[in-house]
Amino acid sequence: MVEIPTGQRRTRICLVRHGETEWNAARRVQGHIDIGLNENGMRQAAAAGRWLKSAGIAALYSSDLKRAWTTALAIGEAIGLTPQPVPEMRERCYGVFEGLTYAEAQQKYPEGYAAFEGRNADYAFETGESLRAMYDRVTGKLQQIAAAHPGQNVVVTLHGGVLDVINRFVRGNPLEMPRDFLIPNAGINWISTVDGRWTLESWGETAHLEEGALDELPS
């Protein structure tokens, strides 16, 4: 165990991806389109809440998109907290890709899809948001949440694309680096920070789920 110098207090943040939606199952790009959880997603959200019941959570935050917010409500019911909305933790805006399956996006916008799949950090889907812009809004809010809760455990429910950039932020990896980790629906991920230094404690935990969970695409 890493020793923390006197006066420094470690903040632990549990990042929970929202439960499954019908569009997840259909491999359809959601982005800012406000899709709710399917039945399996509701079960996953409840399971995450039960898993976190004894984790000593002091605050609960959530993206305001329905799939994340509903997940947060299920967790909040289990741990006795009301979620606080953080729009900064919304999924990336995928612009012209939203509503299409990944296969349809690749067929309709081959050059754009190649930029997306190749992790071009400045590509913004014509009417959407670049990876770099999302990284800035997400990591800025993440640091604000951490600063507001020194020495406490906090939960944030959010999205696959958001988890993608947070993992890189915590590990110090470039946005362009191919993904080497899973992002399952309702997966539990623990990160922590002390004195501005971030640590990835665990990632993609699914032991609380009775059935398997879908990974974020593309990898």
Side-chain angles (χ1 to χ4, degrees):
M1 181 178 294
V2 177
E3 291 188 7
I4 302 173
T6 303
Q8 297 182 11
R9 304 170 66 192
R10 182 174 298 278
T11 298
R12 301 179 71 234
I13 301 178
C14 180
L15 307 167
V16 183
R17 187 185 175 197
H18 63 78
E20 184 181 296
T21 72
E22 289 302 324
W23 281 24
N24 287 147
R27 298 314 201 191
R28 193 172 295 279
V29 181
Q30 296 174 118
H32 283 192
I33 296 178
D34 210 7
I35 305 300
L37 300 183
N38 61 18
E39 290 184 7
N40 188 41
M42 293 296 294
R43 289 193 296 271
Q44 291 174 333
R50 290 192 297 272
W51 193 259
L52 291 168
K53 194 169 183 179
S54 61
I57 305 301
L60 173 61
Y61 295 89
S62 176
S63 156
D64 60 346
L65 292 176
K66 188 185 302 180
R67 55 195 185 272
W69 189 254
T70 304
T71 302
L73 289 174
I75 293 172
E77 183 176 358
I79 65 177
L81 291 173
T82 300
Q84 304 175 52
V86 279
E88 296 89 346
M89 291 298 180
R90 281 187 172 197
E91 180 59 282
R92 182 179 181 183
C93 179
Y94 289 103
V96 294
F97 281 28
E98 293 189 355
L100 303 176
T101 65
Y102 287 93
E104 289 168 347
Q106 186 174 25
Q107 182 177 27
K108 191 171 183 179
Y109 303 102
E111 292 185 7
Y113 193 88
F116 165 54
E117 195 171 36
R119 300 193 63 82
N120 180 331
D122 296 311
Y123 175 64
F125 307 94
E126 297 182 21
T127 57
E129 181 180 30
S130 73
L131 198 56
R132 200 177 310 280
M134 182 181 68
Y135 178 91
D136 289 343
R137 71 165 163 87
V138 166
T139 58
K141 190 60 180 181
L142 182 70
Q143 292 175 88
Q144 288 179 13
I145 291 172
H149 297 280
Q152 295 181 323
N153 294 343
V154 177
V155 170
V156 185
T157 62
L158 28 64
H159 306 267
V162 178
L163 283 161
D164 180 280
V165 299
I166 290 177
N167 184 288
R168 289 171 167 79
F169 168 72
V170 171
R171 295 167 67 196
N173 290 331
L175 290 173
E176 296 81 4
M177 177 179 170
R179 178 152 64 90
D180 61 354
F181 50 92
L182 296 176
I183 310 177
N185 281 119
I188 289 176
N189 315 274
W190 283 95
I191 60 175
S192 63
T193 183
V194 59
D195 195 29
R197 296 186 301 274
W198 289 86
T199 301
L200 191 154
E201 296 187 0
S202 66
W203 194 266
E205 296 179 21
T206 56
H208 57 293
L209 303 176
E210 294 182 0
E211 303 174 9
L214 296 172
D215 184 35
E216 173 79 351
L217 288 180
S219 60

